[in-house]
Amino acid sequence: MAQCAQSVQEFIQDSFVPMVSVLCSEDAERVTRKNSLTFPELLRPFCRLTSEGHLRDPNNQVVVVKGLRISVTGVNTRPPNSGEVRKLLSQAVSACQPPEGLPANVITAGDYDLNISDRSVKASVPWYSDWKEMLTQLSSSKYYTATTPWFEAYRENFLQSMPASDHEFLNHYLACMLVVSSHEAVPTEQFLKLSQEQHRIQHSGEYTYPKWFIPNTLKYYVLLHDISDGDEQRADSVYEDMKQRYGTQGCYLLKINSRTSAAGPDEQMPDPWSQYLQKTNIHSPYEEGVLNNVENNISSEVDGLDLSDMVSEIHPLKLEQSADPGFPGNPSKAVNSADTARTQKQGSVTPGAAPTAHGACLTLNDHDRIRQFIQEFTFRGLLPHIEKNIRQLNDQLVSRKGLSRSLFSATKKWFGGGKVPEKSIAELKNTAGLLYPPEAPELQIRKMADLCFLVQHYELAYSCYHTAKKDFLSDQAMLYAAGSLEMAAVSAFLQSGAPRPYPAHYMETAIQTYRDVCKNMVLAERCALLSAEVLKSQAKYSDAATLLIKMTSEDSDLRSALLLEQAAHCFINMRSPMVRKFAFHMILSGHRYSKAGQKRHALRCYCQAMQVYKGKGWTLAEDHINFTIGRQSFTLRQPENAVAAFRHILINDSKQTATQQSAFLREYLYVYKSLSQPSNEGSLPQLPLPCVHSAQTRVFFGHEPRLAEGEKQAATHVWLDQEFDREQAQLWAELEEQVVAVANRGSVPISFQPTQYCLSSHTDNLRYPFAVVEEPMFVEVVFRNPLKVPLVLSDLSLLWKFTTKDFSGPQGGTTGETITNEKEAAAGKATALNDIISTEVIPEFTVGPEETKVARLKLLPHKTGELHVLGIVYNLGTREEDNSTSEAGQLMFVRGRQDLEIQGPRLNVTKEEKTSVRHGPDRRLDPIITPPMPLLEVFFINFPTGLLCGEIRKAWVEFVNVSAVPLAGLRVASTHPEFFTFGSATADLTPVTPTAAEHCSAYKTMVTPPSDAAVTLVSPAAFGVTGDDRPTVVEIPLTGGVLGPGEALQIPLWLRGPDREGVHEISFLFYYESLEKNAKLRHRVLRHKAVICASRSLSVRATACRSNTLPGRGRRDEREEERSGSMLVFVDVENINTSEAGVREFHIVQVSSSSRQWRLHKCINPAGDKDSKLASRERGKLCFRATRCRTQEATSDALEKYTFADLNLGNEQIVSSTTPCADFFFRRGPPSEPRKGGVITVGGLLRRQSLTPASSTDDSITSIVRKCSEVELDIIVLWKAYVVEDNKQLILEGQLHVALQTIGKEACSLSQKEEAQEMVLLKFKPDLPPPASRPSLEQLSHLIKTCLHYPESYDHPFPQKSLCMVPVTLTLSNCSLAQVDVIIDLRHKTTSPESLEVHGSFTWLGQTQYKLQLRPQEVHPTLPQSLLLPGRRVQPGYTTGVRQAGAVGHDVRDQPAKRHASPHHHQQCVSHQSVLWPPSTHHSPPKPYNIQILPDCSRFLLSKKRTNLNLGGALNKV
């Protein structure tokens, strides 16, 4: 229960006080009227005694009376009827509202900080730590104001409004003051008249009211003397006469009006009457002047005043209503015309008039005299009168009851020991007609109990109440019994020292009797109010809440609202606060407040309940509370609060049905529309719907992308449909940095920033972006509709602020005025400023239920300056499915705005930024509009989407300058420079149009029959290649270096399919500059991303083998080539196409080579002019002879040039040294490791690297051996494919590249997949240097070239002669530039079973071990040897051991190799490759013998008709 300003004891004592009536003469009223007061009002602030009083009880015990207060009212006061009471109670509650601006009373309950005295939804920060401590402080504080003053005002007025009843005497008059002015001619006669009038009112029986406590009412005679206008001596003499007549204890002389003139402006006198007179005077309902101060003037809303709420059936025992006209206050029977006149005068006060000053003629001495008068009256008149009556009543009761019915024994006999048989209330019969006469003993006991209660003699009062209760119960007089039970319980509680516990069951029985038996809710309510306060003081909050909740009913909404609110406070003040019950009952209280017309209190209750439900997931309850708060705020003319409440309903994710949400939205629109009507000229209000995700706002600078027109495809560039990819953004930035570095001669400017056309939350927005005048910008706003009903946004546009600025002037230009379109947008004229910035307006934009949708709004600046996009403006409405009338729909539209406020990224660089939360700016909505810049558009013509791997396709590119400014410095960079080429500067650009080149070959061709290779010398610089780096940025030549406004340039573009199949994304970045050097934008870029699907074509594998042919007889040029070195190049071509692209077959039309050292010389296989044709999954094997280029001895310039050699396999030669073949060769994949040093010269390196043991090292030996096996030769395989597409046969062309680097090592055209690196452990210590590497066996085998000569066929008659001797000759040649020692060992030292079998089949005749020393490039003469074969199939063999001088102890083995057997000699080439026969079946081996070294045991195999002759041997260590 809420805290009160009074303690429970004070509250109960002030609720039941002695009643004193006043009867004044006309002159006395005139004297008091000088102070704008009646005589009872004059005494009211001084009616509480400041000193203690004493009296003795019947047992002669002294009773101390503390803080006694008396109630003084006019005898003509009319008791109000039920309707008036309801009205006045409602007005009293309405007049009390929570204080504004005072510290909020906050209770900490669990996780909640509940503000219980303010209407604000948000609770203030608690100024205390513990709610128990707070309650203790508040209860002991004298300056604490009640948390619910409206409840106390209601309770006070309710208790004062209770009329006097016959079953109790607490509200009956104990005394009557007779007041006469000293101006009267004969005051004693006036006293006599007033005394007779009082006697007539009390005893004539004409008046129902007022009611008197005892027949012998105390009459106290007061002589009122006006000091300012009267004779004080005469007054004293009259007073002396009065003392003689009425006694010193029955009269008093009161002197007032000491002030003769009005108080000055600087003199301030206290006004103790204002706090009493501002309260609603229940006993003078016609004094309505006081009611003008009531805040709540909405009288029409107070439905609690409706007479239908009154009880229709009046119980006989119910308190008498004031319908009886017989009361002294009725004007027709008034005995005090002065009081009536005052009442009528106050009723005619004009509303809104200035408050009347009270006590203007009184001084502080007068105040003291009045206070002294009240004390004298109480101590010398009232208390002795009460004490005498208590003794008389006690004596009467004792004498009337006799011995058997004494006060203490009668009830024991009647009720068997004093115990009343318990009966339920339902069993008790309704004694409606039971009325006790005034002299009945039961009423005398009750009268004595009431007198004792009024003078705080609670112990005797409790005994009397207890006795009377038993008497009434025995007579089943339930109304009287309930009254006695009620007061007995209160008396028991108020007894000092608490000798007995509080009998709460007495109160429960009394409440139930009042309510259910007597049907008197007024008395039941009084009983409940008293009991609740008592229970609350004993911390029994649960019982108090239960009691209050039981008292709620449908007959009075105001009472139910107040009691429910107090029950809610009981829940929050429990030892374990029940917060949710508090909120629930506050909602119930708010509902009843609303029904009672107390809109402000209803709003307050709902706001307090919202503190509990807010943010706890109770969405339905939260929606209901917000909806009610919105309606109540709107009714109370608080549209801002109403809009805020409805806003919470709409912006949160509600679980309401679509119908309910639609109702919420309509209500919100109606409230919002009424709020915005008076402020049409002002700023637009902020709308809550739809939700705008400001952080997801994107801004794009530029035009919309163009659609493809036939074969003409525009560059993709950047657009809002593309999702942000951080890797792609980094890629574009790197490309732009590359091309900027090239444009600035290799250095990147310090102020360089990558161009950003589309700004979002993922981009760097710390700097102001640049936009170009006369070029549009698009703002993409993300809307989310949280409701289940569609939202319609009409006239949607952007709000902006623009500051004009001329950048052409000095020091950054001059700044002009600032312009905004807020006023125009508010009036629905967003296009009014289109001469400055054209603003796009979307007529209608619909966001579906629970949909997230983006809107793209366009701005087109026409002047330079600084632009700031502020937000969006639109009309918000909803579309009704069942209402198609446009007029009705337009009424539900409201115009408003939403600001686009974007928070920048958190700063985390400095120490201060790391230790605090700071955010940087986000400038994406604040572009700088720069002067005109060139604008490039790029179109691709006949650009393919699918290619075969290595396929060459010719397309066209068109560059168009669509701006009014010329552009220059056109360049293009790409992530795949090997994919395209624009041709070399010397390329033949005919045909010059796409149409003319439709059926032409992409290559430059010549009609030439197959012959030796055609050789061409080409410099890489002609194709834009410098050094070993491939070109990444290509400069596009322009006529005069400038592309003027509106001009277009069309150039060819050759494309080559990627070597790896799959989908490839190829990025192009076109860079161009403005001719204006001081432009804000130094350059611009255009992006294009092409997606190419590559399909399989051919797989080419190539191997280079050293030729075993030694210089011999023949042409001179051939001998020179053999002496300078030659190789055999084996090319294996396989058709790996799966015919998915409709490819029927591939033709190998030409094989070309490109190298600075080697070239293809002639084709060995296939022979003749046969074209190699490969169907699906077929494989072709080609063999070529390669020789060293003759340019070695030429100038140094020739060393940097590449030799292109073309070997065409048909009648058409493709010039590989021109565009596009040479371009793609130089743009091929990542280059191999550069061959530093080229060819070793004899005079230089050889002298420094002498291979004598004394001066050689392992590193130099390894280097020489490695260089001996290195080769730099690139093979270009050109092919044609025949494709059937749309019943037409098309010819596709292409080229594949194979780079040979090492002799004997296979190279492939398909790039091998990189293996993932294995995870390695971190090393904190450096590794030891690796040991010196030594040449491998494979490298050593390349130093010596061997040639084995033997007869092609040998006839021998084995039957006649069992042994056959075959002559064999071995020739050795040193291929390196170092001296080499060679050991040849023919002895058999192998012990394996297979070797023993082989070695046992033949034997060598003659010398079996040779040791030779070969000088650089020396050819050793032949070594004769004979082979002896027995008369069976034998398998003789030989072994050669080779070691380099100075490398003693190393194993040198002859590796397996495949050889071709010629009629005169057989060449041994140390290689892993075999002789490749062409796939054609028309060629057969020239001779019937094959010789090859088998891989398993290193032996030669002679085969003929499945008869084998193996030559093998073991290799010994040197």
Side-chain angles (χ1 to χ4, degrees), residues 55-344:
L55 74 160
R56 294 182 179 273
D57 64 357
N59 296 327
N60 207 25
Q61 298 292 328
V62 178
V63 178
V64 180
V65 182
K66 298 179 181 180
L68 181 64
R69 186 179 72 89
I70 63 175
S71 176
V72 180
T73 59
V75 73
N76 58 346
T77 301
R78 190 197 73 169
N81 56 35
S82 178
E84 292 171 344
V85 169
R86 289 174 181 269
K87 180 178 180 180
L88 294 176
L89 290 178
S90 179
Q91 291 174 345
V93 173
S94 300
C96 292
Q97 297 295 334
E100 297 288 348
L102 296 179
N105 295 328
V106 184
I107 288 183
T108 301
D111 297 334
Y112 301 89
D113 292 334
L114 301 179
N115 181 352
I116 59 173
S117 65
D118 196 359
R119 290 183 306 224
S120 175
V121 178
K122 296 181 180 179
S124 304
V125 179
W127 46 273
Y128 47 84
S129 58
D130 189 6
W131 65 276
K132 293 183 180 179
E133 179 183 352
M134 184 272 300
L135 292 179
T136 304
Q137 293 176 357
L138 296 182
S139 61
S140 60
S141 174
K142 297 181 179 179
Y143 305 100
Y144 174 67
T145 56
T147 56
T148 54
W150 49 91
F151 173 71
E152 294 192 24
Y154 171 87
R155 189 176 59 186
E156 179 181 355
N157 285 276
F158 170 77
L159 294 176
Q160 290 180 4
S161 67
M162 293 193 65
S165 60
D166 292 333
H167 79 285
E168 63 182 8
F169 304 93
L170 293 170
N171 289 341
H172 293 194
Y173 287 120
L174 276 169
C176 180
M177 291 183 182
L178 305 179
V179 185
V180 174
S181 174
S182 61
H183 285 273
E184 295 283 347
V186 183
T188 55
E189 293 182 0
Q190 192 65 30
F191 277 126
L192 180 59
K193 290 181 181 180
L194 294 179
S195 177
Q196 293 175 353
E197 184 63 26
Q198 187 275 333
H199 186 273
R200 185 179 66 86
I201 294 174
Q202 180 177 357
H203 298 287
S204 65
E206 299 178 5
Y207 306 103
T208 308
Y209 292 100
K211 293 184 180 295
W212 305 91
F213 205 104
I214 52 180
N216 186 18
T217 302
L218 171 65
K219 295 178 183 178
Y220 197 77
Y221 301 90
V222 181
L223 181 64
L224 188 62
H225 176 64
D226 189 349
I227 299 178
S228 63
D229 185 19
D231 187 357
E232 188 172 354
Q233 293 182 356
R234 180 176 181 274
D236 291 338
S237 63
V238 173
Y239 178 59
E240 290 296 332
D241 184 33
M242 291 174 57
K243 287 194 291 184
Q244 295 295 330
R245 186 185 299 270
Y246 307 117
T248 56
Q249 296 182 353
C251 61
Y252 193 84
L253 172 61
L254 178 61
K255 299 179 181 181
I256 60 173
N257 295 346
S258 299
R259 188 184 298 275
T260 57
S261 61
D266 298 334
E267 184 180 3
Q268 301 224 353
M269 291 297 295
D271 184 6
W273 297 273
S274 59
Q275 59 178 327
Y276 295 95
L277 298 181
Q278 286 179 359
K279 297 181 181 180
T280 304
N281 192 346
I282 296 297
H283 296 286
S284 298
Y286 290 113
E287 298 178 5
E288 295 180 354
V290 183
L291 302 181
N292 296 325
N293 297 323
V294 178
E295 293 184 16
N296 189 0
N297 296 323
I298 313 173
S299 59
S300 60
E301 298 172 359
V302 187
D303 56 1
L305 310 181
D306 193 354
L307 296 179
S308 61
D309 292 337
M310 299 171 59
V311 180
S312 58
E313 181 180 358
I314 301 178
H315 193 272
L317 292 183
K318 187 174 178 63
L319 299 182
E320 290 85 343
Q321 304 300 321
S322 58
D324 186 1
F327 67 96
N330 195 318
S332 61
K333 297 186 179 182
V335 295
N336 196 340
S337 59
D339 189 61
T340 305
R342 164 164 176 80
T343 303
Q344 295 174 351

Side-chain angles (χ1 to χ4, degrees), residues 767-780:
R767 297 174 180 83
Y768 291 96
F770 290 103
V772 181
V773 67
E774 300 297 340
E775 293 187 16
M777 62 173 289
F778 295 86
V779 179
E780 183 183 83

Side-chain angles (χ1 to χ4, degrees), residues 1170-1242:
K1170 299 299 182 181
D1171 190 7
S1172 297
K1173 183 187 302 182
L1174 297 176
S1176 179
R1177 289 303 181 184
E1178 284 192 350
R1179 198 171 177 186
K1181 307 188 181 198
L1182 310 177
C1183 182
F1184 303 91
R1185 179 184 296 278
T1187 60
R1188 287 191 179 272
C1189 300
R1190 298 180 182 182
T1191 60
Q1192 295 182 14
E1193 299 176 1
T1195 61
S1196 59
D1197 294 339
L1199 291 176
E1200 298 300 328
K1201 293 185 177 181
Y1202 281 77
T1203 300
F1204 282 82
D1206 299 333
L1207 288 174
N1208 57 311
L1209 303 182
N1211 294 325
E1212 188 177 45
Q1213 177 190 351
I1214 298 175
V1215 183
S1216 62
S1217 59
T1218 60
T1219 298
C1221 185
D1223 293 87
F1224 288 116
F1225 165 73
F1226 289 114
R1227 289 172 174 267
R1228 66 194 184 279
S1232 58
E1233 294 182 2
R1235 290 86 170 174
K1236 297 181 181 179
V1239 181
I1240 301 176
T1241 58
V1242 177

Side-chain angles (χ1 to χ4, degrees), residues 1019-1026:
S1019 173
F1023 296 91
V1025 179
T1026 56

Side-chain angles (χ1 to χ4, degrees), residues 543 1043 1067:
D543 296 340
L1043 188 63
S1067 302

Side-chain angles (χ1 to χ4, degrees), residues 1097-1100 1131-1135 1145-1152 1163 1165-1166 1169-1175 1178-1182 1184 1207-1212 1214 1275-1282 1292 1294-1296 1479:
S1097 57
L1098 298 177
S1099 173
V1100 179
V1131 181
D1132 189 349
V1133 184
E1134 181 182 2
N1135 180 3
E1145 57 187 10
F1146 287 87
H1147 290 254
I1148 310 299
V1149 297
Q1150 182 174 308
V1151 179
S1152 302
C1163 178
N1165 179 51
D1169 57 352
K1170 299 299 182 181
D1171 190 7
S1172 297
K1173 183 187 302 182
L1174 297 176
E1178 284 192 350
R1179 198 171 177 186
K1181 307 188 181 198
L1182 310 177
F1184 303 91
L1207 288 174
N1208 57 311
L1209 303 182
N1211 294 325
E1212 188 177 45
I1214 298 175
I1275 304 298
I1276 304 174
V1277 178
L1278 295 100
W1279 51 264
K1280 289 186 178 181
Y1282 296 91
L1292 307 180
Q1295 65 186 58
L1296 297 174

